[in-house]
Amino acid sequence: MFRKLVFAALAAAVFVVAPARAQTADARLKAYFEAEWERGLVESPEGASYNGDNRFNDRWTDRSLAAIAQREAADREALTRLKAIDRAALSADSQLDYDTYAWNLERNIERQKFREYLQPVGHQGGVQTADGIAEVLPFASVKDYRDWLARLNALPGVIDQTSVLMREGLKQGSTPPRVLMQRVPAQIASQIVDDPAKSAFYRPFLRFPATVPESERAALQAQAKQAIAERIVPAYRKFAAFFNDEYLPKTRTGIAVAEQPDGKAYYDFLARYYTTTDLSAEQIHQTGLQEVARIRAQMEQVKAEVGFKGTLPEFFAYLRSDPKFFYKTPQDLLTAYRALSKRIDPELVKVFHTIPRQPYGVRPIPDNIAPDTTTAYYQPGAVDGSRAGFYYVNLYKPEVRPSWEMMALSLHEAVPGHHFQFARGLELPERPMFRRTAYFVAYGEGWGLYAEQLGYDMGLYDDPYDRFGQLTYEMWRAVRLVVDTGMHAKGWSRERAIAYFKDNAAKTDQDIVNEVDRYIGTPGQALAYKIGQLKISALRAKAKAALGERFDLRAFNDEVLATGSVPLQALEAHIDAWIAAEQGRR
């Protein structure tokens, strides 16, 4: 499906034949990308906020059916304008930009027919968790607070638009699985408070920076309380009644996305989209089975090393339950995560020449979403460097957060995983903004899983239980290939998926249920992790075989990150060109 991009050869042809023509085409493409980036910021004020652009912090995305249709039409028109630029006249770097943008735009247009906007609420997020955006807002001036007040006052309109989309989804037979939606009423209820000062939306008003004058603070707090009491809480009460009484009873009882209108084609598309490959669901399922068998054999070896005499399932039960593997309080767990990150930092020079400049920190996942979300996640820093990247860790029920998983998790979510990936992307020289902030799941999550394994190269897995944690996390991603395709393409039940997961990984019951529900709610996304890691690992083996003693792991890792986030075939072409260049140095 994807063309192989031989950048070095194309670059030579372009510059020899028509350097002036290339310069003109490059300039046209640059102007196109600048206009497209600005369009994206205007269309998604929340996206602008996450990128550190504060111009639209007083508004939300227009979720009306008319606005959605306009955005879809704009995407189609943007592809026409892109195709009008002569790709052959571009420099090699610009050809990569062109192909990357075209790949994504073509698939955004292809997915329009599936009308994903008819399911705007999920168990891991939606309008019921709109307060979460405050985590990335500056709150450094009076204007910042007034912008937030404007968003608070506008939120009821967003909630109404969301209800309209959900009603249309009911008409079209497009609804999420009920087993997931049963988690949402409690999330909505948490926004319905008697005291506005206890609302999650009020948190920014609990403390003010010195840059907000004392004379302004009381008025800002009063306006926030008024907006919450008179607009936000009533809007959520109305939404709760609609959701609980009208929507939830009509959600689908099955879990497979194939049950939806055009569902089989949708899952096939999602598998291709997330993995950036042409692999079928059956091919992915078989790859998963093979990886599960391989990793299980390595787990048996570690079990023997630590002297455990029981079966592997009994070892899993021991790891899930022995108190010595768990911290007693959320604060103890947070302190341990922060200490672990400091342990990793000085070892990074063993596997990289280039260390990104942007710093990162460790924060707890907000309490209102912690019970229903993953063990951890990463939030990229602002494009302009005004906000660091943050590694968010789940402190809910520390008794189900084992210490042996923390090393692999931190390597994946923080350094050298997602933080390196996103921070290095922001440092790409002279690349358009979409390339510097791009996120292709197979590349990004494949890198995160590959980064877990770099812990061996950094000497961080000296504890056999930490090594078992790494294997558990790799198994987790292999199990995904089997379970995701099993549920959505092969008729597996949720219970069968949970049981298969428990039989093959030492993850705790809390995590396993949340993970399986995540695969149900976001079909295909979880396939990208192992597929991406297998590709990066294969490229490393290829480079090592080709270069022999001249292979430099630090240089290889730098080159994987040098492209920014791209489809896997583009990454392979880049590494092939790098190998050829290194061979030419002999």
Side-chain angles (χ1 to χ4, degrees):
M1 180 175 177
F2 306 113
R3 288 173 297 165
K4 190 169 183 178
L5 312 176
V6 188
F7 304 127
L10 289 171
V14 168
F15 283 114
V16 170
V17 176
R21 183 166 163 246
Q23 184 179 15
T24 301
D26 281 4
R28 286 184 62 198
L29 188 65
K30 180 180 178 182
Y32 169 88
F33 286 143
E34 288 174 350
E36 281 294 283
W37 178 257
E38 183 66 16
R39 174 171 78 92
L41 297 176
V42 172
E43 290 181 349
S44 175
E46 298 92 333
S49 295
Y50 277 101
N51 278 306
D53 188 326
N54 299 322
R55 290 177 294 159
F56 313 109
N57 284 358
D58 60 345
R59 66 198 77 169
W60 305 96
T61 297
D62 186 344
R63 292 168 172 80
S64 66
L65 287 166
I68 292 169
Q70 288 174 355
R71 290 195 288 270
E72 291 183 341
D75 276 352
R76 296 192 295 270
E77 191 270 336
L79 183 60
T80 299
R81 286 189 289 113
L82 180 62
K83 296 296 185 182
I85 298 173
D86 184 1
R87 181 188 180 281
L90 297 169
S91 66
D93 283 343
S94 291
Q95 285 178 343
L96 177 56
D97 297 338
Y98 180 105
D99 290 328
T100 302
Y101 200 80
W103 190 97
N104 215 32
L105 197 53
E106 287 167 351
R107 280 147 192 81
N108 285 343
I109 293 168
E110 183 182 355
R111 74 193 306 165
Q112 289 178 5
K113 64 185 176 184
F114 300 117
R115 304 184 74 186
E116 294 165 309
Y117 55 81
L118 296 181
Q119 296 184 33
V121 168
H123 74 290
Q124 289 189 305
V127 72
Q128 77 277 15
T129 59
D131 60 282
I133 196 173
E135 289 279 318
V136 302
L137 299 178
F139 295 110
S141 68
V142 172
K143 183 182 184 304
D144 292 334
Y145 281 88
R146 288 178 178 160
D147 284 346
W148 184 236
L149 286 170
R151 266 184 168 153
L152 299 189
N153 282 297
L155 186 60
V158 178
I159 296 174
D160 286 344
Q161 288 179 334
T162 301
S163 298
V164 169
L165 295 177
M166 294 166 74
R167 285 192 170 96
E168 184 64 22
L170 289 175
K171 292 179 185 177
Q172 300 295 329
S174 177
T175 61
R178 188 173 305 165
V179 69
L180 305 185
M181 292 300 97
Q182 288 169 345
R183 295 180 178 225
V184 175
Q187 297 171 358
I188 302 172
S190 71
Q191 302 289 11
I192 302 172
V193 295
D194 294 327
D195 180 358
K198 293 182 179 178
S199 168
F201 291 96
Y202 189 77
R203 286 176 190 153
F205 299 92
L206 294 173
R207 289 183 300 275
F208 290 93
T211 48
V212 175
E214 289 278 358
S215 59
E216 298 273 5
R217 298 179 184 182
L220 291 171
Q221 288 175 324
Q223 291 172 53
K225 289 177 180 178
Q226 182 178 11
I228 292 166
E230 297 180 8
R231 294 186 58 75
I232 290 179
V233 170
Y236 276 120
R237 280 204 180 98
K238 177 183 175 183
F239 186 63
F242 158 69
F243 189 94
N244 298 339
D245 300 337
E246 183 178 342
Y247 189 75
L248 183 59
K250 297 178 182 177
T251 51
R252 57 189 168 97
T253 55
I255 60 170
V257 72
E259 299 169 354
Q260 295 188 108
D262 210 12
K264 183 182 183 302
Y266 183 40
Y267 186 68
D268 289 342
F269 166 79
L270 291 173
R272 297 194 318 272
Y273 172 76
Y274 283 121
T275 66
T276 67
T277 71
D278 286 331
L279 293 171
S280 69
E282 183 59 31
Q283 287 173 310
I284 293 170
H285 190 82
Q286 292 303 319
T287 297
L289 291 173
Q290 293 164 13
E291 283 293 286
V292 166
R294 179 186 65 80
I295 299 165
R296 192 178 179 96
Q298 293 183 337
M299 286 180 159
E300 290 281 4
Q301 294 174 4
V302 177
K303 175 175 74 72
E305 180 183 345
V306 299
F308 190 86
K309 301 302 183 184
T311 64
L312 193 59
E314 288 171 340
F315 190 46
F316 290 164
Y318 164 67
L319 292 171
R320 292 179 187 129
S321 60
D322 194 294
K324 74 179 181 181
F325 296 122
F326 300 90
Y327 290 92
K328 293 183 178 179
T329 69
Q331 185 57 51
D332 289 343
L333 182 57
L334 179 61
T335 299
Y337 270 118
R338 287 174 170 163
L340 187 60
S341 295
K342 294 304 179 185
R343 180 186 168 198
I344 295 170
D345 287 346
E347 308 303 327
L348 295 167
V349 293
K350 293 180 179 178
V351 289
F352 295 93
H353 290 297
T354 304
I355 306 295
R357 294 186 298 272
Q358 189 177 69
Y360 77 100
V362 183
R363 285 179 172 175
I365 291 175
D367 292 342
N368 62 318
I369 63 172
D372 300 311
T373 197
T374 55
T375 312
Y377 56 80
Y378 175 75
Q379 175 60 55
V383 170
D384 64 359
S386 61
R387 184 185 71 248
F390 281 99
Y391 169 32
Y392 281 85
V393 294
N394 201 327
L395 307 182
Y396 176 71
K397 289 188 175 180
E399 66 273 16
V400 301
R401 313 283 174 194
S403 58
W404 45 260
E405 74 176 354
M406 293 169 62
M407 178 60 77
L409 179 63
S410 298
L411 291 167
H412 181 115
E413 298 294 346
V415 292
H418 290 323
H419 179 68
F420 264 44
Q421 172 213 330
F422 281 101
R424 279 289 308 279
L426 291 176
E427 294 173 10
L428 288 175
E430 303 301 321
R431 301 295 9 109
M433 194 60 74
F434 89 89
R435 283 286 314 285
R436 295 168 64 194
T437 60
Y439 179 67
F440 289 87
V441 182
Y443 174 97
E445 298 298 346
W447 171 260
L449 184 50
Y450 171 79
E452 294 175 21
Q453 299 174 357
L454 287 177
Y456 291 104
D457 300 296
M458 289 188 279
L460 294 170
Y461 287 124
D462 49 352
D463 185 323
Y465 288 106
D466 286 343
R467 292 205 305 278
F468 199 89
Q470 182 275 314
L471 290 171
T472 295
Y473 268 52
E474 190 177 9
M475 176 68 89
W476 172 19
R477 280 43 173 260
V479 164
R480 286 175 173 176
L481 302 186
V482 179
V483 166
D484 196 295
T485 54
M487 290 189 294
H488 293 295
K490 299 176 77 68
W492 283 30
S493 68
R494 178 172 178 263
E495 291 70 28
R496 181 178 176 183
I498 291 171
Y500 183 85
F501 205 138
K502 289 183 70 172
D503 285 345
N504 288 287
K507 295 286 287 178
T508 61
D509 290 354
Q510 171 95 17
D511 280 348
I512 288 173
V513 171
N514 278 348
E515 281 296 311
V516 170
D517 284 352
R518 173 187 156 197
Y519 312 152
I520 296 171
T522 313
Q525 190 267 357
L527 305 177
Y529 294 62
K530 199 75 178 78
I531 297 299
Q533 176 261 314
L534 287 171
K535 172 58 71 174
I536 295 172
S537 296
L539 291 175
R540 173 172 163 171
K542 181 192 225 178
K544 190 171 183 179
L547 299 177
E549 293 181 356
R550 297 191 59 187
F551 175 74
D552 181 349
L553 177 59
R554 292 181 295 175
F556 171 81
N557 291 333
D558 284 353
E559 286 301 320
V560 173
L561 294 178
T563 61
S565 192
V566 291
L568 292 179
Q569 286 198 0
L571 175 65
E572 182 171 11
H574 175 78
I575 295 299
D576 285 346
W578 173 74
I579 293 171
E582 290 297 301
Q583 289 175 322
R585 295 178 191 274
R586 295 180 178 178

